[in-house]
Amino acid sequence: MLLPYGVSYEDIGRLLISCPDRPGIVAAVSRFLFERGANIIHSDQHSTDPSGGTFFMRVVFQMAGLERRGEEIEREFLPLARSLQMDWRLAHAARTKRLAILVSRAEHALLELLWRRRSGDLGAEIALVIANHTSLAETAATWGIPFHHIPVEAGHKAEAEEEQLALLRTYEIDTVVLARYMQILTPRFVAQFANRIINIHHSFLPAFAGANPYAAAYERGVKLIGATAHYVTAELDAGPIIEQDVQRVDHRHTPADLLRLGRYLERVVLARAVEWHVEDRVLVYGNRAVVFS
Amino acid sequence: MLLPYGVSYEDIGRLLISCPDRPGIVAAVSRFLFERGANIIHSDQHSTDPSGGTFFMRVVFQMAGLERRGEEIEREFLPLARSLQMDWRLAHAARTKRLAILVSRAEHALLELLWRRRSGDLGAEIALVIANHTSLAETAATWGIPFHHIPVEAGHKAEAEEEQLALLRTYEIDTVVLARYMQILTPRFVAQFANRIINIHHSFLPAFAGANPYAAAYERGVKLIGATAHYVTAELDAGPIIEQDVQRVDHRHTPADLLRLGRYLERVVLARAVEWHVEDRVLVYGNRAVVFS
Amino acid sequence: MLLPYGVSYEDIGRLLISCPDRPGIVAAVSRFLFERGANIIHSDQHSTDPSGGTFFMRVVFQMAGLERRGEEIEREFLPLARSLQMDWRLAHAARTKRLAILVSRAEHALLELLWRRRSGDLGAEIALVIANHTSLAETAATWGIPFHHIPVEAGHKAEAEEEQLALLRTYEIDTVVLARYMQILTPRFVAQFANRIINIHHSFLPAFAGANPYAAAYERGVKLIGATAHYVTAELDAGPIIEQDVQRVDHRHTPADLLRLGRYLERVVLARAVEWHVEDRVLVYGNRAVVFS
Amino acid sequence: MLLPYGVSYEDIGRLLISCPDRPGIVAAVSRFLFERGANIIHSDQHSTDPSGGTFFMRVVFQMAGLERRGEEIEREFLPLARSLQMDWRLAHAARTKRLAILVSRAEHALLELLWRRRSGDLGAEIALVIANHTSLAETAATWGIPFHHIPVEAGHKAEAEEEQLALLRTYEIDTVVLARYMQILTPRFVAQFANRIINIHHSFLPAFAGANPYAAAYERGVKLIGATAHYVTAELDAGPIIEQDVQRVDHRHTPADLLRLGRYLERVVLARAVEWHVEDRVLVYGNRAVVFS
């Protein structure tokens, strides 16, 4: 009864669940999967409190014919999901997410994502680059990615966003990545991609939210600079944090040095967050992000 | 059917399993527990390869009356365990492990363990300190821990070990911690505490095994020094690694500085390894240690 | 003309300088020392901007008879110091600084300092522990440090501070360390120890200033918790930062876990800051601290 | 006498010195520079032992007309250098070093260097890429760098190296970077670029020297993987270490994962080492590298 060789990527599913905690959830879910011939490859769960808390679970399983049987499985799962008051989704590993990268002039974060995509480390399609400047047109061209220049002029953001949203529909985009995109999105835009817009902020949030965080960090004399990748919400720099990291600096670093060093931090922190998102490792709960490792 | 308030520590069990991987293990184990009224608080598993690899699992669960029902549960688990060819053990969280700390003259690693015990971060009983020198007698006394001085003289190691083993029996010791104990244990001693002797080696193994690792690190001009906590096996410094960490150094550090800085690394790395061990987070597999986080 | 063996600690001086930058400062200072028979063991300098910026310098030198000749050297240095508009001080390595540690109930930060003192890593005298609770009286006693209990009652802070200041005078204290002392000092107290009071704040400042930073960090869902050691100024948690560090956390950590984990961060960050301070490695410049490594 | 605005890069010199330690070296060198109108921007020195040890110094200074006056300054420095038995060199910041990058098939390390060059963080000219495979021809072309394919066939390494050396001469190469170049250079090649060939080894040396370090690291069950950038010497993987770093791994990582994760480490460690080398921050001393920060 060992698994046959040649397991197909098409057969890998990822089930994400959050619900009120109570005994028996793991047993019920694993039994449901087992009875349908699924093999659990990895499973992780967490409870904020076994007595009345919230339960989170991510199960990666293999199931022959998942691609074909997906809808049926979802239908069959419904009664269990309802009885346990689950928020849940079933993702197919083979349905690679399609990303749009929004940029301004800075290259580093975009380049890192392109590179990780080519090297096979980022399991997503980079379908589209949208920029409010033209500086990165050639970079996108070199990597063979469609590039659209949509300037965002004062007082005309609504029109620009309309154009952006139309493109996102045309390219069937799942997730929007703000790779040092120096514009604030309107709540209207954000609402259409709830928990599907990832931004990289160049500070250790909540410290130094808003503009010019490196200048503020220098002014305050911090000994570590940071970067934060988070989902975008209506409130600026306040959405659920997916990943953060820091780097040591000292008195010899000028604000320009912090900006320069920070780029290396930003590209890594953003790339990790995007990878985790496209692998369905992130569950948003209130204003916090649960990241299954 | 939500859990009642006032869950008791006596009711917490930890089930550790390794076996050949095949579909349905998670389902079978979680069902077994559910049917006996257990609630899974945390569960982690891993497979080296879903096709013919080895499967590892750690389940933390709550079960009313576990202390009383433990043996019965184990008996009932046997058929399942056998059918899946499991190596397994069921640990009771409430049965705190009893540690003996073996030391020579250096204080730091011992003191860290004593302190973590007092602060409640180390969930074990420090039942006994055995030393081949007398320098730490007062430290042990201050913290109220029995201290036994057993000198290890050239040519008389066997006698010393006999005395040590007798003490370990008297104090009903589960786990031996070598907290910078500057003696090599004989294979005979080691065999009696397989995967239950934890040593801290002052290098990033396998670099600089053996004596004087800091001098060797200095000589080689490394830019990071390390420390490694591992289970002791018959072969010197070659047992399963539980934890490692490093610290940056530069050309200004003398060998004496490395030794001094290394102490802070050693105490932390050893303490983490001991904590994970006593929380039944470590599974040895071949010469490798799986640490469930 | 090589240095004789047996250099004495009494002969080691540390010269700290800040002044407007201009050519020739290093040459003038090193010549001054050389002409008086000093040997520069280590020197570090930094300029915020060679054109019109601020210049910082720390020189460690050896000079036979420094203890005896110190005042004369300082007098001779004055003309040079004036001509270059220097802020400067000459510290004798052998004049060990005397610390008072202020604590409340938490033990970890105090214990770390006591231990580093005993192990020889903290080059200062821990002359006095002052506490607004009695819980740590025994710890202080065990380590042989005078312990004074001065309760701080609502509406009577001024009296308590008077008593504290009197003790600091009696014990000839150079530097006050707030080792998780849960009281805010008045500006009047702070003014008497400008840049000589070191506090450990349990967050990555400027994030989560004020009370309950771990609860706030949990609420915000950060992926790293931090600790910050800084000089105390009149404005709460806003003084020059000496050292910061962080530790990774995830969704499995409760606020209580953050508090527990944070202790290990706090003790290390505070200890580093105190060590650097007593080795005269820290120069305050505006609201920023230059730390010479 | 403050420095005029508009300091030119052409006027920046870097003086590197190692010699037997004795009193007065700093004074003599800073006076020499001051008397010739130089302004010391940054200076760092270190002594292995003030009594009979080795003294190292790196001085960055600004001197009007350095480009023109360089040879004269060097001539004038000779008597002082001789009297203090100095090994020394004077580098002109404006004389950008010319690099040849040797690669096989892996892209990451090369791409990182190209990118840092374009972003202005790597102060060197990437003059040439030499590869023993053709896979990276297009990458080099995209970035506008001359690419030469020199296959290295069994038994014909000497001829291949002749061809490589001829190219290095033609392109006036200062420094050779082995960016995951999967060939061992002969001692004959190495001798021609002593301390000017930088290799990235994919382990924390001296652990796992030689081939397949990630497989060996997996086998040993280490908890951190590493990368080491070092100067190439006649002995394989044994040259002076310039930089090392590590990354945490756990039991879930397969050997393939280590290889994949390791790439991110390798690119960063190599890039740092190359940056420090081209900024004349590295002094080799015996088999150790002093890196001035």
Side-chain angles (χ1 to χ4, degrees), chain C residues 134-175:
Chain C
T134 55
S135 355
L136 297 178
E138 200 187 312
T139 299
T142 301
W143 293 73
I145 312 291
F147 178 92
H148 290 263
H149 175 224
I150 304 181
V152 181
E153 272 150 48
H156 296 275
K157 181 172 284 189
E159 290 94 313
E161 286 196 350
E162 272 317 309
E163 218 179 315
Q164 291 168 341
L165 287 165
L167 274 174
L168 300 182
R169 279 188 299 271
T170 305
Y171 281 88
E172 300 182 312
I173 296 303
D174 299 296
T175 298

Side-chain angles (χ1 to χ4, degrees), chain A:
Chain A
M1 203 173 143
L2 284 174
L3 268 187
Y5 284 91
V7 168
S8 161
Y9 202 58
E10 265 70 41
D11 296 344
I12 304 295
R14 299 171 190 142
L15 182 59
L16 281 101
I17 294 167
S18 65
C19 63
D21 198 7
R22 56 163 68 183
I25 305 175
V26 176
V29 171
S30 54
R31 182 180 179 171
F32 174 88
L33 290 171
F34 179 65
E35 288 177 352
R36 277 149 194 86
N39 189 28
I40 294 179
I41 293 170
H42 188 82
S43 157
D44 202 351
Q45 75 271 349
H46 173 68
S47 175
T48 59
D49 183 348
S51 301
T54 300
F55 174 89
F56 305 98
M57 188 176 195
R58 177 180 185 262
V59 189
V60 182
F61 61 89
Q62 188 224 18
M63 182 187 278
L66 175 67
E67 183 58 36
R68 188 175 33 79
R69 294 171 59 197
E71 278 183 49
E72 172 199 336
I73 298 288
E74 296 202 7
R75 219 164 29 237
E76 292 174 1
F77 191 64
L78 265 183
L80 179 61
R82 276 190 196 128
S83 75
L84 295 168
Q85 298 166 264
M86 288 181 181
D87 262 346
W88 66 283
R89 68 176 195 265
L90 173 61
H92 294 229
R95 294 185 192 161
T96 312
K97 288 189 182 50
R98 296 172 59 78
L99 311 183
I101 320 282
L102 269 61
V103 296
S104 288
R105 286 195 184 91
E107 178 189 52
H108 58 284
L110 171 63
L111 200 51
E112 181 76 15
L113 294 169
L114 291 169
W115 174 9
R116 291 196 179 213
R117 173 67 193 110
R118 179 155 82 192
S119 71
D121 292 345
L122 173 60
E125 194 63 31
I126 299 181
L128 173 66
V129 172
I130 302 178
N132 61 335
H133 291 280
T134 54
S135 354
L136 296 178
E138 200 187 312
T139 299
T142 300
W143 293 73
I145 312 291
F147 178 91
H148 290 263
H149 174 225
I150 304 181
V152 181
E153 272 150 48
H156 297 274
K157 181 173 282 187
E159 290 93 313
E161 286 196 348
E162 271 317 306
E163 219 179 314
Q164 290 168 341
L165 287 166
L167 274 174
L168 300 182
R169 279 188 300 270
T170 304
Y171 282 86
E172 300 182 313
I173 295 304
D174 299 295
T175 298
V176 175
V177 179
L178 309 185
R180 301 295 276 114
Y181 177 64
M182 308 302 281
Q183 297 285 329
I184 296 169
L185 300 176
T186 65
R188 200 179 144 268
F189 188 117
V190 171
Q192 297 191 39
F193 282 85
N195 295 334
R196 292 189 293 139
I197 306 175
I198 300 173
N199 182 45
I200 179 70
H201 184 75
H202 38 317
S203 85
F204 184 82
L205 289 175
F208 313 123
N212 293 323
Y214 291 128
Y218 178 83
E219 208 51 54
R220 183 63 190 87
V222 292
K223 299 303 182 192
L224 301 166
I225 55 167
T228 303
H230 63 94
Y231 287 119
V232 174
T233 56
E235 191 185 341
L236 184 64
D237 297 333
I241 293 172
I242 308 169
E243 171 63 341
Q244 302 188 290
D245 215 336
V246 294
Q247 156 140 3
R248 195 157 275 274
V249 294
D250 66 32
H251 61 273
R252 286 172 299 194
H253 294 105
T254 62
D257 290 332
L258 301 191
L259 200 138
R260 189 173 54 75
L261 285 170
R263 290 197 314 246
Y264 294 91
L265 209 52
E266 294 162 22
R267 66 174 190 177
V268 168
V269 169
L270 178 61
R272 278 189 212 138
V274 173
E275 285 177 12
W276 296 340
H277 172 86
V278 302
E279 292 167 3
D280 301 298
R281 295 181 178 280
V282 192
L283 252 179
V284 171
Y285 161 63
N287 199 44
R288 310 173 73 232
V290 171
V291 179
F292 292 107
S293 62

Side-chain angles (χ1 to χ4, degrees), chain C residues 236-269:
Chain C
L236 183 66
D237 297 333
I241 294 171
I242 307 170
E243 172 64 340
Q244 303 187 289
D245 216 336
V246 295
Q247 156 142 3
R248 196 158 276 273
V249 294
D250 65 33
H251 60 274
R252 286 171 299 195
H253 294 106
T254 62
D257 290 332
L258 301 192
L259 200 139
R260 189 174 53 76
L261 285 170
R263 292 198 313 247
Y264 294 91
L265 208 53
E266 294 161 22
R267 67 174 189 176
V268 169
V269 169

